[in-house]
Amino acid sequence: MSEKLLMKGNEAISEAAIQAGCRYFFGYPITPQNEIPAYMSKRMPKVNGLYLQAESEVSAINMVYGAAGAGARVMTSSSSPGISLKQEGISYIAGSELPCVIVNIVRGGPGLGGIQPAQSDYFQSVKGGGHGDYKLVVLVPSSVQEAVDMTIEAFDIADMYRMPVMILGDGLLGQMMEPVVFKSYEPRQILEKTWGTTGTEGKRKPNIINSLYIDPKDLEDKNIERFERYKYIEKNEVQVEVVDCEDVDIVLIAYGTMARVVKSAMKIAREQGYKVGVIRPLTVWPFPTEAICKVARTAKAFLTIEMSMGQMVEDVKLAVNGQKPVYFYGRTGGMVPTPNDIVEEIKKISGGEKL
Amino acid sequence: MNLSKAQEVIIAGFGGQGVMFAGKLIASAGMLDEKEVSWLPSYGPEMRGGTANCHVIVSDELVGSPIIVNPTTLIVLNRPSLDKFENTVLPGGILMVDTSLVDRKVSRTDIKVVEISATQLALDMGERKLGNMVILGKWIRETGLVSMETVQKALKKAVPAGKEKLIELNIKALEIGYNYN
């Protein structure tokens, strides 16, 4: 299928999952991601897959746990409050070394918050929303096409490293329509899932899916082993877009749909004579620390822009490591900065002078 | 990303008037013309009878922010939408008003105002829900940004199988708007 289609982000993510071989979806409705379960409920039966609306998010994520344990390609989706409910299950899935894909179409928080787009679940996504020593690979698409490509890749990444992968979008991405093409893709080399609990048929020892290690030494070994894998991922799975950052004064850093607004701002600022570039992480864990650190040698300052009170900015500061000042501008609760808001911030940082 | 070339259209009205669908047709037609497009709906507590709007961008370059701050065209199908968005229209832009449902005049003088009794014209053809297509037809005529032919092609793609009868009616409504003086 290579026809260009006009699709909503939520629907495109769903179709991408199916094309990646996902045949199990467990979810529970919440705005602004309802088109995902709606699409899955229509489409899954047609590909001999299973769609199930669970009685709660907690239940849905534990169904994901079960399907993942049997080696199936499985996905769930929700939005912020629902993702909070899933955190226990996500920790168990990470602890049991199981692959799955979790979509978070973020809305304003905390609590029930609102239903408009936000990026305030960054900490929850990249710093371990559940308990224990674990991480998720977190992919942050900024267009509907990228959401498609990343969703497909997410299943491969999950299987390759036996860990949950999160697609972190926001209400804008989920609700907007853009042209998309479902290209054929080259799947990664995935080892056969010999660990799955699929029934022994009396031919092998039972596989055990478990996250309980009573002996502290065993648990430590398990965590150390997992973090060795994380180190490998940090080296090999970082994705970042660096736009015109040579010889600039201010580097704007943003991810997801916010990065689109930031690129519009960059264009306006450049027309007004400000030397600005953009760094856009496509993965927020692993974080593009190296790319940012490198640009910090030549740029004069950084401005992180988020739809939150300031979360990713902490990782930017760690990456810049004191080399240059790091500023923050954000709107929250569902408010979205406009390109002009950002240009004003650039002017403020420049002290009115074109650095 | 040439912002000056981008056409940024906001269509606003009551839920149920087909503002989302009209916007989708502009976006699909733009896509068929090999343009970059985005379509963004309002998705707050809007519902049938409440206010609803969508932001459509058609551009030669990749679309940056999908949120429109100052539309090049604003199409309003009710009074609350005119009150809410009138001041946002880009100077020199176009404001299209469905005069059958908007009971006041536009106060801006730095924009082009196009008045059409879209809903009444749709009622006259016996299809009260097609005011959206009437005003869209007029928009095509006014701006020439997409051709009537491409919009009709997009329409054929958007209408599900079994409802082909609707295509004809929609085209008829588009033509009424297109030919309205």
Side-chain angles (χ1 to χ4, degrees):
Chain A
M1 189 156 72
S2 58
E3 191 195 351
K4 208 192 258 183
L5 304 164
L6 191 63
M7 280 181 107
K8 269 195 167 192
N10 284 334
E11 293 169 344
I13 286 170
S14 315
E15 181 58 33
I18 284 169
Q19 299 211 5
C22 171
R23 289 295 177 272
Y24 296 86
F25 180 90
F26 306 99
Y28 188 82
I30 183 170
T31 304
Q33 62 83 55
N34 282 323
E35 292 82 1
I36 299 179
Y39 191 93
M40 288 302 200
S41 69
K42 269 192 270 179
R43 190 84 165 86
M44 273 300 186
K46 291 185 184 148
V47 292
N48 290 322
L50 183 129
Y51 162 83
L52 195 149
Q53 180 176 317
E55 70 271 36
S56 73
E57 287 87 349
V58 176
S59 185
I61 193 69
N62 281 292
M63 290 173 184
V64 170
Y65 186 12
R73 284 206 151 173
V74 56
M75 183 168 102
T76 187
S77 70
S78 192
S79 179
S80 310
I83 295 289
S84 290
L85 283 164
K86 289 181 202 282
Q87 289 304 330
E88 179 195 46
I90 294 172
S91 169
Y92 278 57
I93 293 169
S96 304
E97 320 281 356
L98 293 176
C100 69
V101 174
I102 301 151
V103 181
N104 185 2
I105 301 297
V106 181
R107 55 190 251 177
L112 268 179
I115 59 173
Q116 298 302 320
Q119 295 183 315
S120 39
D121 296 357
Y122 179 92
F123 283 152
Q124 185 193 53
S125 314
V126 306
K127 308 287 178 189
H131 60 281
D133 283 323
Y134 79 94
K135 293 200 176 288
L136 310 175
V137 169
V138 183
L139 307 172
V140 283
S142 80
S143 68
V144 177
Q145 181 67 56
E146 212 167 62
V148 163
D149 299 341
M150 283 182 170
T151 301
I152 292 172
E153 198 181 11
F155 282 94
D156 275 8
I157 295 172
D159 278 351
M160 193 170 159
Y161 300 107
R162 283 183 64 178
M163 66 185 288
V165 176
M166 178 172 276
I167 303 288
L168 186 67
D170 61 60
L172 271 175
L173 182 78
Q175 293 297 321
M176 72 187 290
M177 276 203 259
E178 280 189 309
V180 283
V181 178
F182 289 86
K183 299 165 261 192
S184 61
Y185 78 106
E186 194 65 36
R188 296 185 182 203
Q189 290 279 336
I190 310 287
L191 295 174
E192 201 193 331
K193 295 176 176 177
T194 52
W195 43 262
T197 47
T198 51
T200 65
E201 295 176 18
K203 290 174 188 158
R204 60 163 168 82
K205 275 206 202 158
N207 287 331
I208 296 171
I209 302 290
N210 179 36
S211 69
L212 176 67
Y213 297 90
I214 288 296
D215 182 337
K217 182 73 178 75
D218 288 349
L219 183 52
E220 186 189 48
D221 287 349
K222 205 74 199 162
N223 286 341
I224 289 172
E225 181 200 314
R226 188 177 311 114
F227 272 72
E228 286 300 319
R229 215 179 323 147
Y230 292 163
K231 250 189 234 164
Y232 181 88
I233 293 170
E234 282 178 322
K235 269 206 186 101
N236 294 284
E237 299 290 351
V238 173
Q239 295 181 40
V240 60
E241 183 191 12
V242 179
V243 190
D244 297 335
C245 284
E246 305 91 31
D247 188 33
V248 293
D249 295 328
I250 299 173
V251 175
L252 311 174
I253 304 191
Y255 69 95
T257 43
M258 195 64 248
R260 303 168 65 124
V261 182
V262 164
K263 282 182 186 172
S264 297
M266 168 181 159
K267 162 102 180 146
I268 298 169
R270 283 191 162 231
E271 279 167 5
Q272 296 181 12
Y274 294 94
K275 283 160 60 182
V276 296
V278 168
I279 294 182
R280 175 172 77 94
L282 280 73
T283 53
V284 284
W285 194 85
F287 194 71
T289 306
E290 213 168 291
I292 293 171
C293 185
K294 201 174 138 201
V295 171
R297 281 176 220 144
T298 51
K300 290 185 184 147
F302 288 80
L303 173 59
T304 306
I305 301 115
E306 299 173 56
M307 290 190 278
S308 77
M309 291 301 288
Q311 300 193 9
M312 181 178 73
V313 63
E314 293 189 2
D315 284 336
V316 173
K317 280 182 180 165
L318 286 171
V320 172
N321 203 12
Q323 294 179 78
K324 299 288 157 60
V326 176
Y327 299 90
F328 172 76
Y329 178 71
R331 296 294 301 270
T332 181
M335 299 301 291
V336 182
T338 66
N340 281 326
D341 292 340
I342 298 162
V343 172
E344 285 310 307
E345 284 302 307
I346 293 168
K347 288 181 185 169
K348 249 191 251 170
I349 293 168
S350 309
E353 288 168 51
K354 295 175 184 175
L355 288 173
Chain B
M1 190 174 8
N2 188 336
L3 296 174
S4 58
K5 268 193 211 160
Q7 292 302 321
E8 307 193 333
V9 183
I10 292 181
I11 310 179
F14 290 122
Q17 277 185 304
V19 298
M20 300 299 179
F21 186 71
K24 193 181 161 185
L25 278 188
I26 295 177
S28 326
M31 184 179 79
L32 289 172
D33 278 346
E34 299 294 322
K35 305 270 190 190
E36 299 290 342
V37 300
S38 70
W39 174 95
L40 178 71
S42 57
Y43 67 91
E46 287 90 348
M47 57 181 80
R48 197 170 296 264
T51 57
N53 68 74
C54 66
H55 294 203
V56 182
I57 301 178
V58 179
S59 173
D60 289 331
E61 312 279 336
L62 276 178
V63 177
S65 172
I67 299 172
I68 299 171
V69 183
N70 300 115
T72 53
T73 298
L74 169 65
I75 301 174
V76 291
L77 284 89
N78 65 9
R79 168 78 187 262
S81 300
L82 178 65
D83 293 344
K84 186 172 175 190
F85 293 113
E86 179 178 352
N87 287 332
T88 65
V89 181
L90 198 72
I94 299 172
L95 170 48
M96 304 196 53
V97 183
D98 181 351
T99 50
S100 24
L101 296 170
V102 177
D103 59 0
R104 77 162 171 89
K105 287 279 171 193
V106 173
S107 42
R108 292 270 298 269
T109 52
D110 59 340
I111 53 178
K112 180 175 181 184
V113 178
V114 179
E115 295 182 328
I116 177 170
S117 52
T119 301
Q120 187 57 51
L121 288 164
L123 275 169
D124 293 347
M125 68 173 274
E127 296 292 336
R128 64 185 173 83
K129 283 184 178 170
L130 292 182
N132 62 339
M133 290 297 109
V134 174
I135 206 161
L136 181 61
K138 182 70 180 160
W139 177 81
I140 295 167
R141 179 64 168 266
E142 286 296 323
T143 62
L145 288 170
V146 286
S147 68
M148 190 65 153
E149 199 192 340
T150 317
V151 173
Q152 293 187 9
K153 216 188 279 175
L155 185 65
K156 281 169 193 159
K157 281 183 179 242
V159 173
K163 293 196 172 173
E164 287 84 358
K165 208 187 98 207
L166 293 174
I167 297 176
E168 233 172 274
L169 283 170
N170 277 273
I171 290 177
K172 203 176 144 197
L174 280 169
E175 280 168 349
I176 287 174
Y178 191 83
N179 297 319
Y180 177 85
N181 279 310

